[in-house]
Amino acid sequence: MTENAQQQPPAPSTELPTQYAPAEVEGKLYERWVERGYFTADAKSDKPAYTIVIPPPNVTGSLHLGHAFQHTLMDALTRRKRMQGYESLWLPGMDHAGIATQNKVEQQLAEEGKSRHDLGREEFVERVWRWKEEYGGKILGQMRRLGDGVDWDRERFTMDEGLSKAVLTIFKRLYDDELIYRAERIINWCPRCLTAISDIEVEYQEDAGELVSIRYGEGEDSLVVATTRAETMLGDTAVAVHPGDERYKHLVGKQIKLPLTDRTIPVVADEHVDPEFGTGAVKVTPAHDPNDFAIGQRHGLPALTVMDEHGVITVHGPFLGLDRFEARSAVVGALKAQGRIVAEKRPYMHSVGHCSRCKTTVEPRLSMQWWVKVGPLAKAAGDAVRDGRVKIHPEDMSKRYFDWVDNMHDWCISRQLWWGHRIPIWYGPEGEVVCVGPDEEPPGTEAEGWKQDTDVLDTWFSSGLWPFSTLGWPEQTDDLRKFYPTDVLLTGHDIIFFWVARMMMFGLYAMDGEVPFRTISLTGLVRDERGKKMSKSFGNVVDPLDWMDKYGSDAVRFTLARGANPGTDVPIGEDWVQASRNFANKIWNATRFALMNGATVDGPLPDPSEMSSTDRWILSRLGRTVAAVDAYYEDYQFAKLSDALYHFAWDEVFDWYVELSKTTFQGGGEPARVSGRVLGEVLDVTLKLLHPVVPFVTESLWTTLTGGESIVVAPWPTDSGFRDADAEREIETLQSVITEVRRFRADQGLQPGQRVPARLTLDGTALAPHEAAIRQLLRLQPEGDAFAATATLPVAGATVALDLSGTIDVAAERKRLAKDLAAAEKEKAQANAKLGNEAFLAKAPDQVVDKIRTRLAKADEDIARIQAQLERLPQA
């Protein structure tokens, strides 16, 4: 039914340690896999290619649960495809992470009492490279701990030589195509990092500020504006009102006095103003607000910068040199002294942007920067999804993607940093501007008056090239021909804007319309067991290495995969990892038992006519499981495939098939040989199905079971097509009998191992061949001469009569159940009384009424259950 029916592997060893010890196994297995080259892809292979490039973690980072989560899923995809016969490439690497890495090194320097300016640019960049070499490899070692099957021979870094060439090449092409330009516009400025940051690097949160209303002008020629940033009024160059606002028609076009200054400013009419909001008049500060900048452009207003890159006021004597927040209080105080403050509200909660790297409040600032004209690039990125060349999974995430690419603003790509890809623009002594490509020489020397732009490119500019730059572009390499486009981009839904859209734009542009990946599979974010975001400030951040040390990497991986519903956040707690560790132990112990009792992969499977119904049932269930797992993989339903494997392995194979087969194995002979071969087949296929998610324990068990080289390169199971509906129905009936009797035993307070005399009437039912198994699983001993049936259970056409006279105190049990019944009836009466009270129902909230109805339903269930137990008890 699988390849083992044709293969004749060497006889396996049946020796396995009594306990599975992940720490003694995982590291050795991983190094063996790498040494044998299992993860190294061959660009010249005739096999079909399957490619995933890893979302490059920051060189500053370490493996957190979010990485472990996504790496587990990517590893599962590539391991399965490798087993299916694909030339499977999972390409690793890291991102230089401009701002984050520069901040790390600057913090080191600060501890030495120095700044980057003390070192100078060249020496500082050398220092960052040294830091990268010392600390940057940490996450790569952690990836090995997790079991990442990546091609280490192809590891890349966004600032290595090849990727730097790709960056310069695409910059030059975009510049020549007039898709990169330089312009003075409002940008998000971080006064701490001293650089521009893009819109998507700004995190908004509700901050407690103040809202002050200020009167501009005098008498009838006055109006009131409200602001949360009073200090920026020093840069106001107009007040704007709506053209249709009758209150201010007499002021439009007039000049009014700007408080605290010797300037007058015009009142302008602009459609942007909402006449229903506040007073309907807004201050206009073109150099310090993006909306005001747009108003200023429409009305030809000057843009006055009133603070420097550190957020320090640079104008107007009394406030000169004050920090922006100090200036805010000082300006409000001065306005109060002049009687200009009409109203104040504090605290005033409002949304404020913060730098995603250092959490400093962002300052909108007019600045000369480099930009990408995204219009045509974003349209191409949207079209590729709309016409089906790229699929987004889950599909409902497409809306977020389109909301972004269809409304994208031009992208500010310059950063005022030293660490990163330096912008390849040179300025000449006569005002010349020259873009220098990767194979071109600068137009002149500094001595001749030529200087290179001091800014570097946004980190996302280089990581946007990742799917093709890592494969050798702009050279037409074997890797590029074989492995591009990549198959799947698997990443968190939170970076659709940061990274996914950038890669789509650049991939389509650089690769002549060829998409960078065929599928975008978006995951949720990992949260704690209560669904709360993990944060150091909440004290709920988990280091996955701690859990790997304690429970093994397989347990962490299986827990993460089992929670991975597409696009949905993943709660995770240590109890769940412990449960996954128990599952790994269950696989180990059950396989060890099977090997000791004749499980084998030797030779072809016996003909179904030679098999018991139990054998045929498990093979039929196996076929259905293979089909289900394959379907779930194709739909990126990792939680469902993990759950299907968990229940098949634990419930059906280990708890039912192995237990039902014990009597067969004990009996020996041909039936035991047949069941041993069937069990070997089932374990072989089940371990392969589990391997992509839990690679270590499955490798240990599979090589022991089969004697094969490695499960990593074993063929993926295919659905045999074998189905036996009759056997499935028969075993389902058997399961219902055993489950019902077990429930009755538990209700009577019998211990699981306690043996009870029983008479089984199975004649004429499909259960007759299973009497020995039923007695063994239910701990039912032969009836004996003194048998007296005190409880009779008719189940599934059979009858199970039990003699409980010597096992329980019937009188005490009746007394206990009577007490429970009285409590349940009292609960029912109280619930009915409340639900019958019209006055109560009229006043009680819906949720309270629903809760009482739930209590009533529960009481009814308890009463029915207890009454059934009482009826089954023998008479005292």
Side-chain angles (χ1 to χ4, degrees):
M1 296 201 178
T2 69
E3 66 287 346
N4 283 324
Q6 287 77 42
Q7 290 180 174
Q8 294 292 328
S13 166
T14 59
E15 292 298 320
L16 278 173
T18 55
Q19 290 184 325
Y20 177 50
E24 297 174 14
V25 171
E26 293 177 348
K28 295 175 184 176
L29 286 183
Y30 188 84
E31 292 310 315
R32 185 188 308 162
W33 292 335
V34 173
E35 288 167 9
R36 292 180 178 180
Y38 293 152
F39 307 139
T40 304
D42 181 1
K44 297 185 182 299
S45 165
D46 292 332
K47 297 177 183 179
Y50 184 81
T51 315
I52 296 180
V53 291
I54 206 165
N58 287 352
V59 71
T60 59
S62 60
L63 190 73
H64 56 65
L65 272 178
H67 289 127
F69 171 53
Q70 292 176 1
H71 287 206
T72 294
L73 306 187
M74 286 183 277
D75 196 29
L77 290 172
T78 49
R79 283 179 183 270
R80 172 174 174 261
K81 285 295 183 180
R82 187 178 294 113
M83 295 172 77
Q84 286 183 313
Y86 286 78
E87 197 61 45
S88 188
L89 169 61
W90 187 20
L91 192 148
M94 292 184 294
D95 194 300
H96 67 278
I99 296 176
T101 307
Q102 179 157 320
N103 281 349
K104 289 280 188 182
V105 178
E106 287 196 87
Q107 287 167 13
Q108 271 192 346
L109 287 174
E111 291 171 4
E112 301 169 15
K114 298 177 183 177
S115 76
R116 60 177 161 135
H117 300 285
D118 294 324
L119 273 64
R121 182 168 194 145
E122 191 171 317
E123 189 178 340
F124 177 77
V125 170
E126 287 180 8
R127 174 81 174 245
V128 182
W129 274 107
R130 292 199 302 272
W131 187 93
K132 181 260 179 186
E133 293 304 317
E134 184 175 353
Y135 296 100
K138 181 180 180 182
I139 197 167
L140 302 178
Q142 294 169 334
M143 287 165 59
R144 301 172 94 94
R145 280 289 312 277
L146 189 65
D148 284 6
V150 296
D151 187 342
W152 292 111
D153 292 344
R154 287 180 168 87
E155 180 194 333
R156 303 307 299 266
F157 179 55
T158 50
M159 282 185 62
D160 66 28
E161 185 177 351
L163 271 64
S164 294
K165 183 175 183 180
V167 168
L168 295 175
T169 300
I170 202 162
F171 187 100
K172 172 74 170 173
R173 290 188 188 180
L174 289 165
Y175 183 84
D176 290 346
D177 287 344
E178 298 183 350
L179 292 173
I180 284 183
Y181 64 94
R182 193 173 186 234
E184 190 175 42
R185 292 186 179 175
I186 291 284
I187 48 90
N188 302 298
W189 181 264
C190 176
R192 158 62 185 82
C193 298
L194 296 178
T195 182
I197 57 177
S198 66
D199 291 345
I200 51 180
E201 292 171 304
V202 178
E203 294 178 348
Y204 288 90
Q205 66 183 46
E206 290 293 309
D207 283 0
E210 61 180 354
L211 180 69
V212 293
S213 298
I214 310 168
R215 182 174 299 281
Y216 285 24
E218 305 294 342
E220 292 184 358
D221 289 349
S222 69
L223 36 67
V224 175
V225 300
T227 181
T228 58
R229 302 170 68 221
E231 72 280 5
T232 63
M233 68 160 293
L234 302 173
D236 285 0
T237 56
V239 172
V241 297
H242 190 272
D245 194 331
E246 295 293 333
R247 294 172 295 177
Y248 302 118
K249 274 199 169 181
H250 69 290
L251 287 177
V252 174
K254 286 188 176 182
Q255 296 280 326
I256 62 172
K257 181 78 165 55
L258 178 65
L260 306 184
T261 73
D262 57 2
R263 291 191 291 117
T264 60
I265 57 176
V267 177
V268 298
D270 195 276
E271 295 281 350
H272 169 74
V273 180
D274 180 1
E276 303 298 323
F277 184 76
T279 64
V282 297
K283 59 192 287 299
V284 181
T285 321
H288 293 279
D289 182 274
N291 294 321
D292 293 3
F293 179 79
I295 294 174
Q297 293 281 292
R298 289 193 288 272
H299 296 276
L301 301 173
L304 302 181
T305 300
V306 297
M307 65 182 79
D308 65 14
E309 63 270 24
H310 297 279
V312 173
I313 301 298
T314 57
V315 298
H316 202 66
F319 312 108
L320 184 65
L322 292 180
D323 170 81
R324 54 186 168 154
F325 301 116
E326 296 172 335
R328 184 172 301 170
S329 298
V331 166
V332 171
L335 290 168
K336 279 183 181 178
Q338 292 187 5
R340 292 284 178 178
I341 298 295
V342 176
E344 292 180 85
K345 183 177 181 180
R346 60 169 68 90
Y348 177 72
M349 302 303 297
H350 62 131
S351 182
V352 178
H354 296 261
C355 173
S356 62
R357 303 293 182 188
C358 69
K359 312 309 176 188
T360 300
T361 300
V362 167
E363 190 65 43
R365 187 167 187 263
L366 187 62
S367 180
M368 183 68 77
Q369 302 285 344
W370 285 95
W371 304 80
V372 171
K373 188 184 295 182
V374 299
L377 303 174
K379 182 181 183 304
D383 291 345
V385 174
R386 287 190 170 93
D387 63 25
R389 283 175 289 156
V390 177
K391 305 284 187 186
I392 293 181
H393 188 86
E395 191 175 354
D396 59 11
M397 285 283 179
S398 298
K399 183 179 183 302
R400 293 184 64 185
Y401 176 80
F402 291 132
D403 285 347
W404 179 250
V405 298
D406 293 347
N407 300 286
M408 196 182 295
H409 301 297
D410 283 1
W411 173 18
C412 177
I413 56 171
S414 45
R415 299 290 181 268
Q416 290 64 55
L417 304 171
W418 288 355
W419 172 244
H421 295 280
R422 194 164 174 182
I423 289 177
I425 295 289
W426 290 74
Y427 304 105
E430 304 300 325
E432 303 95 329
V433 179
V434 178
C435 181
V436 178
D439 300 316
E440 299 173 348
E441 292 294 326
T445 65
E446 287 198 16
E448 296 168 335
W450 287 88
K451 291 187 177 180
Q452 186 177 358
D453 197 299
T454 56
D455 289 352
V456 300
L457 288 163
D458 178 10
T459 295
W460 299 102
F461 190 95
S462 51
S463 59
L465 315 180
W466 191 250
F468 52 93
S469 64
T470 52
L471 298 173
W473 188 89
E475 308 302 328
Q476 291 303 307
T477 62
D478 290 340
D479 277 2
L480 197 63
R481 283 186 286 269
K482 178 73 174 179
F483 297 112
Y484 190 90
T486 67
D487 288 87
V488 182
L489 170 71
L490 190 145
T491 191
H493 61 66
D494 56 325
I495 60 171
I496 291 178
F497 323 120
F498 287 92
W499 193 45
V500 178
R502 312 298 192 204
M503 287 188 289
M504 286 286 283
M505 292 192 300
F506 281 166
L508 290 161
Y509 174 79
M511 300 302 292
D512 300 320
E514 186 69 77
V515 297
F517 23 75
R518 298 183 178 93
T519 299
I520 301 168
S521 178
L522 296 170
T523 70
L525 308 179
V526 178
R527 296 182 177 272
D528 71 13
E529 64 267 34
R530 296 179 182 84
K532 194 172 184 179
K533 180 181 178 181
M534 287 192 174
S535 166
K536 290 180 181 178
S537 60
F538 296 152
N540 62 351
V541 172
V542 173
D543 183 346
L545 291 176
D546 292 342
W547 282 352
M548 283 187 252
D549 289 341
K550 196 170 182 180
Y551 303 111
S553 297
D554 282 334
V556 174
R557 290 170 61 113
F558 192 71
T559 305
L560 291 165
R562 205 171 175 196
N565 290 298
T568 304
D569 288 349
V570 183
I572 184 172
E574 187 168 0
D575 288 351
W576 305 335
V577 184
Q578 187 172 354
S580 294
R581 187 272 313 273
N582 295 344
F583 178 52
N585 288 342
K586 182 77 170 180
I587 301 169
W588 183 272
N589 292 333
T591 305
R592 184 171 178 271
F593 167 85
L595 287 167
M596 293 169 62
N597 285 274
T600 177
V601 295
D602 291 347
L605 276 172
D607 189 84
S609 63
E610 301 176 52
M611 299 178 188
S612 69
S613 56
T614 309
D615 294 333
R616 297 194 303 277
W617 163 74
I618 197 62
L619 289 175
S620 186
R621 294 298 305 141
L622 177 66
R624 294 186 194 279
T625 301
V626 171
V629 168
D630 276 334
Y632 288 141
Y633 262 115
E634 295 306 315
D635 199 32
Y636 303 96
Q637 296 280 358
F638 297 99
K640 289 183 177 179
L641 73 89
S642 299
D643 217 42
L645 285 170
Y646 176 89
H647 288 295
F648 175 71
W650 192 308
D651 299 345
E652 296 187 286
V653 179
F654 304 145
D655 277 359
W656 284 108
Y657 182 71
V658 168
E659 292 299 320
L660 289 170
S661 300
K662 281 182 178 179
T663 54
T664 304
F665 291 136
Q666 290 165 2
E670 186 62 12
R673 186 196 70 80
V674 170
S675 290
R677 179 64 189 89
V678 170
L679 180 54
E681 181 76 6
V682 171
L683 287 175
D684 174 28
V685 174
T686 302
L687 291 171
K688 288 175 182 174
L689 293 174
L690 283 165
H691 172 71
V693 180
V694 284
F696 295 108
V697 69
T698 52
E699 170 81 335
S700 298
L701 295 174
W702 186 85
T703 52
T704 303
L705 171 71
T706 68
E709 178 189 344
S710 172
I711 198 171
V712 176
V713 291
W716 180 254
T718 55
D719 179 8
S720 65
F722 180 81
R723 302 289 189 274
D724 192 323
D726 291 339
E728 290 195 45
R729 279 192 295 272
E730 180 178 324
I731 301 305
E732 285 170 8
T733 301
L734 175 60
Q735 289 171 327
S736 68
V737 170
I738 293 171
T739 301
E740 183 65 22
V741 177
R742 279 176 173 166
R743 184 181 297 117
F744 176 76
R745 287 176 55 108
D747 286 344
Q748 306 312 312
L750 296 176
Q751 295 301 313
Q754 191 172 352
R755 305 193 72 81
V756 178
R759 177 185 297 149
L760 305 185
T761 307
L762 307 175
D763 296 343
T765 73
L767 300 175
H770 301 287
E771 179 169 352
I774 292 172
R775 285 189 176 277
Q776 179 164 313
L777 290 174
L778 290 173
R779 303 296 190 268
L780 303 179
Q781 62 192 41
E783 53 194 271
D785 295 336
F787 179 81
T790 58
T792 302
L793 304 176
V795 284
T799 302
V800 179
L802 304 173
D803 182 355
L804 304 178
S805 58
T807 57
I808 62 172
D809 183 338
V810 175
E813 186 64 13
R814 280 189 175 279
K815 185 176 181 181
R816 183 185 69 81
L817 289 173
K819 184 178 179 182
D820 290 347
L821 181 61
E825 288 173 338
K826 181 180 180 182
E827 175 75 3
K828 179 178 179 178
Q830 290 175 341
N832 273 328
K834 287 190 175 181
L835 293 174
N837 184 335
E838 294 296 334
F840 170 77
L841 293 177
K843 295 179 180 179
D846 290 344
Q847 61 266 32
V848 172
V849 176
D850 289 342
K851 189 174 181 180
I852 294 171
R853 288 195 177 111
T854 301
R855 284 170 49 195
L856 176 61
K858 175 69 166 53
D860 281 334
E861 289 175 10
D862 289 344
I863 290 168
R865 175 180 55 80
I866 296 167
Q867 287 175 339
Q869 289 176 242
L870 283 167
E871 289 172 7
R872 289 172 175 170
L873 277 175
Q875 296 301 313

